[in-house]
Amino acid sequence: KYVFYDLLRTIFFGSKDYIENANKVKKLLDENIKKLKSGNRELIEYLAHLYLGRLYEKGGRAHYKEALKYYNLAIDAAPSSYDFDDSNWFRLNLECNYDFPSFMTHFSSTIPKWDNHEWYEDIVAKTVMNLVSKKDYKTLLSFYKLIEKTKLEEQKAKVKYILARIGIIEKKKLQST
């Protein structure tokens, strides 16, 4: 598994021809997956799906659906909670960049499955920054209601402060918590 992981990292970081590399990984997977022992097969499929998603994402917006497909396969095949958080983060990041309504839906539906809430800290901060810069306070309030369900206390406090400063929530509520 470590050799395969190193191979995927080399393919991902070693060339900027992401789509050609994705096709090579798919071919390698298709030709060899049935030859592997059961335990290794699941892990290698997970890793291949995750890196295929990353390669397609690097290929740009035109490859959004392919990237999403492989991130979903990686999420479904995640052998551990760590791997779930990892692949879920990549999917959320992709959706945040290209399909924000899907991001909001998926963000909300996966919160109960998160093992390590801190894993998502940066994507929450990025989303808040984007919404504030666009002055999309209605969506920011909706997003705040979602992050209230998380264990991201610092992010909750930051968003609550922003919402109070712009008058979306009462400042009294800010002081009472």
Side-chain angles (χ1 to χ4, degrees):
K1 71 181 181 184
Y2 296 111
V3 171
F4 188 68
Y5 176 71
D6 288 343
L7 174 67
L8 290 172
R9 290 180 54 81
T10 301
I11 290 169
F12 183 75
F13 293 110
S15 166
K16 294 198 184 286
D17 197 351
Y18 302 113
I19 305 311
E20 182 180 326
N21 289 343
N23 290 329
K24 288 177 185 176
V25 170
K26 283 196 295 190
K27 183 178 179 188
L28 180 68
L29 186 64
D30 291 343
E31 291 175 355
N32 295 292
I33 196 67
K34 291 180 176 63
K35 298 175 188 175
L36 298 171
K37 294 179 186 174
S38 180
N40 287 337
R41 183 180 10 207
E42 287 80 14
L43 179 60
I44 287 175
E45 280 182 310
Y46 162 75
L47 289 170
H49 292 148
L50 179 63
Y51 274 86
L52 281 164
R54 293 184 70 191
L55 285 164
Y56 280 114
E57 182 176 1
K58 286 285 191 180
R61 185 182 212 68
H63 302 283
Y64 166 79
K65 287 185 179 182
E66 284 292 307
L68 186 62
K69 169 187 166 185
Y70 284 104
Y71 285 146
N72 286 334
L73 288 169
I75 290 167
D76 292 343
S80 68
S81 58
Y82 174 92
D83 296 317
F84 172 84
D85 284 338
D86 188 32
S87 50
N88 190 50
W89 183 94
F90 278 106
R91 177 187 171 168
L92 287 171
N93 190 60
L94 175 74
E95 289 177 326
C96 188
N97 291 332
Y98 296 124
D99 185 359
F100 195 75
S102 292
F103 164 79
M104 291 287 281
T105 300
H106 187 239
F107 186 92
S108 176
S109 69
T110 62
I111 292 170
K113 299 174 188 173
W114 295 1
D115 181 53
N116 182 355
H117 286 239
E118 287 74 29
W119 195 281
Y120 301 91
E121 185 103 23
D122 64 331
I123 201 159
V124 169
K126 171 183 160 180
T127 302
V128 170
M129 182 184 70
N130 289 341
L131 292 172
V132 170
S133 68
K134 293 177 185 174
K135 297 184 180 182
D136 187 352
Y137 303 128
K138 181 179 176 186
T139 305
L140 182 62
L141 179 60
S142 297
F143 190 60
Y144 173 69
K145 290 176 183 175
L146 294 179
I147 62 173
E148 277 187 311
K149 300 173 188 175
T150 73
K151 296 176 184 174
L152 301 173
E153 300 306 324
E154 185 177 328
Q155 291 300 325
K156 287 190 266 187
K158 286 178 183 179
V159 177
K160 195 172 192 178
Y161 175 79
I162 292 167
L163 291 170
R165 290 285 297 178
I166 59 177
I168 301 291
I169 61 173
E170 294 180 33
K171 290 182 182 173
K172 288 179 187 176
K173 281 189 174 182
L174 180 64
Q175 295 168 347
S176 67
T177 57

